Amino acid sequence: KENNMIVFILSLFSSGHKLRISSLYQLLVGKRTTSVLIYGFTHELLFIHNSFPELKQDKFYQILQKIAQQGWIEINENEAKLTPAGADMLSEHQIEHTGLRFDRYGRTGETSWRLIKFAVQVISNLATGIQDYLPAETSPFYTFQLKKWLSESQLPREILIDTAYESLVQLFSEIPEEAADFLANQLSGNERTGLLPYQLAKNNDESAVYLQQSRCIHLLLAQIEKRPDSLWHALIDSLLQQNFNQSMMITKQMFMNGQTIDQIMAIRHLKRGTVTDHLIEWALFFDDFPYEWILSAETIERLEPNKDSVREWRFSEWNVDGQLDYGEFRLYQIYLLRKEAIQNVNK
């Protein structure tokens, strides 16, 4: 188990930037504070947030010590950095991060996939009219969700079967072929039993299987999210919503309805800092944040001339006179980094 975990953790240093060891640990276990989320975002590591919620701190430090003993990273107090030897080691082990989104799907990704697999099995047996089969899931949660989905689709059986099948084929065609095969081989249906992830994985090591399975599921869920009108979206939408901080979602809704920060504080009996945290989380996880409603001309004027160093910005350095709003500072930083990411994609 450890070897693969060692390579995965080493791969998080691949940018070459120094990383704060305590922040890296808090990202892996999914600590939900604004400072941890911002740290993940500015270091392009938000995707690992909540990837290993059970990881014990001493275990994490042991892994880092092992990596350092091999000469792959240099540790200096609470910071660590990749060495040239570490970079060579990483080039031998191609670690695929693309598609991993624990920050977005970590909490309910596995459950969503189980529900999809169960739906495929039920539909496959509906299609052939077979009634006496062993259901893949027996817990009331899955049975309830599935019955609700079938009744709410309001489609005649034949159309439901065809639509579900066609849209699933379409979804699989949109993700890399190896990921589609990895997931499709886990599906069960009439006279066919799906295989388990470890039977399909390239590497049988426990954390390797977990990471490969997670990546494939996250790729699929990202495609389903792009199709809010589809049957599969209807099936797992409530699970996808659970990945978000629900209190933040209420603030987002109120803000979209035209309420101010002060009004939200009064109505919900929240501190300003909490509402600010909600706004920052909204900006981090969604593309629809209305920056122009929040950012004042003064804040932009103060920060804009130094936007080239935006990744390294520290609030304390910018707020010497105590006049800068923390929320605006962070939101402008997120705004600039998102803009930069979009420009990089379009280059």
Side-chain angles (χ1 to χ4, degrees):
K1 176 169 184 174
E2 243 166 50
N3 293 353
N4 205 275
M5 196 64 185
I6 283 176
V7 178
F8 176 68
I9 287 182
L10 178 62
S11 74
L12 304 179
F13 290 90
S14 62
S15 70
H17 299 303
K18 273 189 201 151
L19 294 180
R20 259 206 320 266
I21 292 171
S22 54
S23 301
L24 194 56
Y25 175 71
Q26 289 164 344
L27 275 168
L28 287 163
V29 294
K31 190 173 180 200
R32 271 193 112 107
T33 59
T34 310
S35 60
V36 171
L37 293 172
I38 289 275
Y39 189 85
F41 179 73
T42 52
H43 292 80
E44 295 181 355
L45 289 171
L46 199 51
F47 72 92
I48 64 163
H49 188 260
N50 205 29
S51 50
F52 288 91
E54 308 294 312
L55 180 64
K56 295 279 174 279
Q57 196 160 0
D58 52 354
K59 180 90 177 80
F60 172 68
Y61 282 109
Q62 279 167 16
I63 294 172
L64 280 187
Q65 288 302 332
K66 275 188 185 163
I67 298 175
Q69 280 158 10
Q70 296 287 342
W72 296 331
I73 57 171
E74 274 167 16
I75 297 180
N76 189 354
E77 291 181 4
N78 188 28
E79 291 193 319
K81 191 175 193 289
L82 192 68
T83 63
D88 292 343
M89 168 70 181
L90 282 178
S91 62
E92 288 167 35
H93 294 259
Q94 291 301 313
I95 291 276
E96 190 53 88
H97 289 161
T98 321
L100 275 178
R101 286 295 306 271
F102 286 102
D103 57 320
R104 198 55 203 79
Y105 307 119
R107 289 181 169 199
T108 58
E110 190 61 47
T111 310
S112 302
W113 174 235
R114 279 176 64 175
L115 188 53
I116 291 167
K117 284 193 300 182
F118 185 34
V120 168
Q121 183 196 29
V122 170
I123 285 175
S124 164
N125 285 290
L126 275 178
T128 47
I130 291 173
Q131 309 251 306
D132 57 336
Y133 58 93
L134 195 64
E137 301 291 352
T138 50
S139 91
F141 167 76
Y142 291 99
T143 321
F144 172 75
Q145 294 291 339
L146 201 76
K147 285 183 172 159
K148 181 166 165 277
W149 179 63
L150 290 171
S151 72
E152 283 178 2
S153 76
Q154 296 183 332
L155 293 172
R157 283 286 149 92
E158 283 67 37
I159 295 177
L160 174 82
I161 291 162
D162 288 347
T163 311
Y165 173 74
E166 280 162 21
S167 57
L168 193 62
V169 170
Q170 179 65 37
L171 286 164
F172 277 149
S173 74
E174 301 281 350
I175 64 175
E177 196 176 349
E178 37 85 27
D181 290 346
F182 190 74
L183 293 177
N185 280 312
Q186 295 174 39
L187 297 172
S188 299
N190 175 30
E191 298 191 347
R192 171 198 158 111
T193 307
L195 297 170
L196 295 165
Y198 78 87
Q199 296 172 300
L200 295 161
K202 297 191 274 265
N203 176 341
N204 257 347
D205 158 290
E206 194 182 326
S207 57
V209 176
Y210 167 69
L211 288 165
Q212 189 177 355
Q213 172 79 342
S214 300
R215 178 176 168 258
C216 295
I217 292 173
H218 298 175
L219 285 162
L220 179 68
L221 297 180
Q223 287 302 327
I224 293 175
E225 275 203 296
K226 286 182 185 167
R227 297 178 174 70
D229 305 333
S230 72
L231 268 175
W232 296 105
H233 192 278
L235 177 68
I236 62 167
D237 184 39
S238 62
L239 283 168
L240 292 175
Q241 292 309 318
Q242 284 173 35
N243 285 292
F244 294 118
N245 169 352
Q246 296 307 305
S247 185
M248 174 270 285
M249 296 296 275
I250 296 168
T251 296
K252 176 179 192 280
Q253 194 52 56
M254 290 173 77
F255 202 83
M256 291 299 257
N257 292 343
Q259 273 153 331
T260 64
I261 294 179
D262 289 325
Q263 286 171 324
I264 295 169
M265 284 166 60
I267 295 165
R268 299 194 61 203
H269 307 293
L270 296 174
K271 294 188 184 126
R272 180 172 292 274
T274 308
V275 178
T276 300
D277 286 350
H278 290 169
L279 297 177
I280 290 170
E281 221 174 310
W282 170 11
L284 286 174
F285 288 107
F286 293 91
D287 296 330
D288 63 352
F289 189 83
Y291 295 96
E292 64 284 358
W293 293 1
I294 294 259
L295 296 174
S296 65
E298 299 84 61
T299 300
I300 294 174
E301 242 162 69
R302 178 187 283 224
L303 298 171
E304 194 177 28
N306 299 281
K307 61 182 181 195
D308 290 346
S309 62
V310 60
R311 275 182 202 285
E312 284 72 53
W313 281 3
R314 282 173 190 252
F315 182 63
S316 54
E317 291 167 19
W318 287 103
N319 191 34
V320 180
D321 61 1
Q323 297 298 306
L324 184 61
D325 180 83
Y326 176 75
E328 286 194 38
F329 168 75
R330 284 300 181 207
L331 289 163
Y332 188 54
Q333 185 182 31
I334 294 166
Y335 168 74
L336 289 175
L337 286 167
R338 277 190 168 271
K339 212 163 87 171
E340 181 188 300
I342 292 167
Q343 282 163 349
N344 289 345
V345 167
N346 295 335
K347 263 181 193 163

